[in-house]
Amino acid sequence: PNSLWDLLSHLHYDHSMMQVVMNDLKERAFMMQSAPFMSKALPMMIPLHHWWEIPVYWVSCKMYDIIAGSRRSVPESHFISKAEALYQFPTLKSEGLVGAMVLYDGQQNDTRMNLFVALTAAQHGATILNHTEVLNLTTTGKINTADYKVTGAKVKDKFTGETWEIKAKQVINATGPFSDSVRKMADPTTHDIIVPAKGSHLIVPDHFSPDNMGSVWFTKDGRVLYLLPWEGSTIAGTTDIKEKASMNPCSTLPEVDFIISECNRTLRRPLNHGHVRAAWAGLRPLVKDPSADPNDTKKLSRDHVVDVVQGGLVSICGGKWTTYRKMAEDAVDKAVEINPALAPQRACCTPSMMLLGTDRGGLVCHQNFD
């Protein structure tokens, strides 16, 4: 919003979005508690440049805290003065700054988290295969008939070239931006529901952000951009561009220019291409909203959807890192619902589960990782 009137005139309550936020905050608490050795609370500063923004952002951030409730898992948000903002984030521009809101969120190492989720699953009896490509799904019966059933998959080891078949009572498709290609292996007539959106990021020197404080703000076109401390450097991002699904998405020069330009709107010391140590891109598997412009990824859902196509193939589509546990729970619940061959021995136990390495018995460091 460019003014208080602009904000009030566009203010409305969206119950579905409220549910998404509530679920996100609940799952954030799970991530913080399930792997405290690689998850931490990170304060992020929102620079404010108009006096009317102070009460607006204060109320918004406090509502965020209230929605999180007793499982907030991070400190409360708070307002700080211009002098304090410049002290805590010295590289911010002082011109026009009237203060800042400090909002806390969780930060985790996604690569390590991914590995430890897999290791924890293996510890509980799962068989894990990496670098294995699904060539096609195996089925019984004839498509478009009642006896048509997906019974497994033919896979290929990308290192050795060996292929074999895996049989299963139930197949769940959790392939992110590639979900549609697997859905069409079961039902070639099904419509695409995934819109991959590319997000590019830059790694710049650590002096562009303090060690224990990030900064987040809105870009000119309404997206969110941030500067965050990351593994001894600073991460700057992100973009949000419709992209075809690929195994190796790359950052383009226009995207790098966009991030640098937006950072220079808030930084006192200009960022330039010489500061960029690395650039990379990832794909977000956004789910189509039938009422939105398919070319506008800002209006596509960040929530997850459980989809079922012919043959009983269950697909978990969309979502985000924060809600990975809930996504898995919903997908398995749907599989149990539609497949009488599945007989669960107990209810879902993951809400209280801790990952491998968490000192679950309290014998190593009493679960104190600070």
Side-chain angles (χ1 to χ4, degrees):
N2 298 313
S3 66
L4 183 57
W5 172 251
D6 188 23
L7 173 72
L8 294 175
S9 62
H10 290 87
L11 196 62
H12 69 280
Y13 174 74
D14 187 332
H15 184 69
S16 62
M17 184 55 66
M18 177 63 75
Q19 291 297 120
V20 170
V21 172
M22 291 175 67
N23 289 332
D24 287 356
L25 292 175
K26 180 180 178 180
E27 294 304 314
R28 181 185 70 178
F30 165 77
M31 290 194 74
M32 300 285 286
Q33 295 161 10
S34 66
F37 60 98
M38 57 177 161
S39 302
K40 65 177 183 179
L42 178 69
M44 296 182 295
M45 185 181 298
I46 306 173
L48 305 178
H49 296 90
H50 304 281
W51 288 108
W52 61 265
E53 290 180 326
I54 296 176
V56 169
Y57 278 90
W58 188 88
V59 170
S60 300
C61 291
K62 288 302 177 183
M63 284 296 297
Y64 200 65
D65 293 340
I66 291 171
I67 293 170
S70 60
R71 298 191 64 188
R72 189 175 64 245
S73 71
V74 297
E76 290 186 11
S77 58
H78 57 275
F79 172 78
I80 58 175
S81 67
K82 174 181 177 178
E84 182 67 18
L86 294 174
Y87 174 77
Q88 293 199 33
F89 210 111
T91 55
L92 281 181
K93 283 182 179 179
S94 61
E95 294 83 5
L97 189 68
V98 297
M101 280 299 301
V102 176
L103 176 70
Y104 287 81
D105 212 337
Q107 185 179 56
Q108 50 111 341
N109 185 310
D110 55 341
T111 305
R112 292 184 69 202
M113 183 70 76
N114 187 44
L115 174 61
F116 276 81
V117 168
L119 291 174
T120 304
Q123 188 182 53
H124 284 79
T127 299
I128 308 296
L129 289 176
N130 200 9
H131 296 283
T132 305
E133 178 185 4
V134 175
L135 299 177
N136 57 265
L137 299 178
T138 58
T139 61
T140 58
K142 187 176 181 180
I143 194 168
N144 296 324
T145 63
D147 61 347
Y148 178 65
K149 174 69 176 175
V150 175
T151 58
K154 183 177 181 180
V155 300
K156 176 181 178 181
D157 187 316
K158 296 294 286 184
F159 288 140
T160 66
E162 180 186 1
T163 63
W164 68 94
E165 289 188 2
I166 300 173
K167 296 295 183 182
K169 292 180 180 179
Q170 177 66 48
V171 177
I172 296 178
N173 169 26
T175 53
F178 306 98
S179 297
D180 283 333
S181 60
V182 178
R183 291 171 66 247
K184 288 186 175 181
M185 291 180 185
D187 183 0
T189 64
T190 192
H191 296 292
D192 289 348
I193 60 173
I194 295 293
V195 178
K198 183 173 68 172
S200 291
H201 310 76
L202 309 181
I203 292 293
V204 298
D206 61 347
H207 58 75
F208 281 101
S209 69
D211 291 339
N212 296 302
M213 178 67 75
S215 181
V216 58
W217 66 95
F218 287 104
T219 63
K220 290 180 179 179
D221 63 352
R223 304 178 192 273
V224 174
L225 208 78
Y226 51 75
L227 283 166
L228 303 175
W230 177 254
E231 302 291 339
S233 297
T234 296
I235 183 173
T238 177
T239 57
D240 202 7
I241 299 171
K242 185 178 178 181
E243 183 84 357
K244 291 183 178 179
S246 68
M247 294 299 294
N248 295 295
C250 297
S251 301
T252 63
L253 185 56
E255 291 173 272
V256 174
D257 291 341
F258 171 79
I259 295 174
I260 291 176
S261 173
E262 288 294 334
C263 287
N264 287 337
R265 290 177 55 220
T266 64
L267 292 176
R268 175 173 54 83
R269 180 183 300 174
L271 181 67
N272 59 53
H273 292 84
H275 292 120
V276 179
R277 293 175 172 174
W280 84 94
L283 295 177
R284 302 183 187 92
L286 307 183
V287 182
K288 280 184 178 179
D289 179 353
S291 63
D293 180 353
N295 295 311
D296 187 356
T297 60
K298 289 183 292 183
K299 294 182 180 178
L300 293 167
S301 174
R302 262 64 172 179
D303 199 12
H304 63 270
V305 172
V306 181
D307 174 73
V308 182
V309 297
Q310 286 194 74
L313 175 68
V314 173
S315 297
I316 179 69
C317 304
K320 65 195 80 174
W321 244 121
T322 308
T323 56
Y324 82 91
R325 189 213 62 82
K326 179 62 174 171
M327 292 168 64
E329 180 182 355
D330 289 350
V332 173
D333 284 350
K334 176 57 70 173
V336 171
E337 176 189 327
I338 68 169
N339 192 338
L342 301 180
Q345 298 178 350
R346 60 186 177 185
C348 179
C349 62
T350 56
S352 58
M353 184 175 290
M354 302 182 80
L355 298 189
L356 188 70
T358 312
D359 188 23
R360 285 172 286 200
L363 303 176
V364 180
C365 59
H366 303 289
Q367 298 181 4
N368 182 9
F369 294 92
D370 292 335

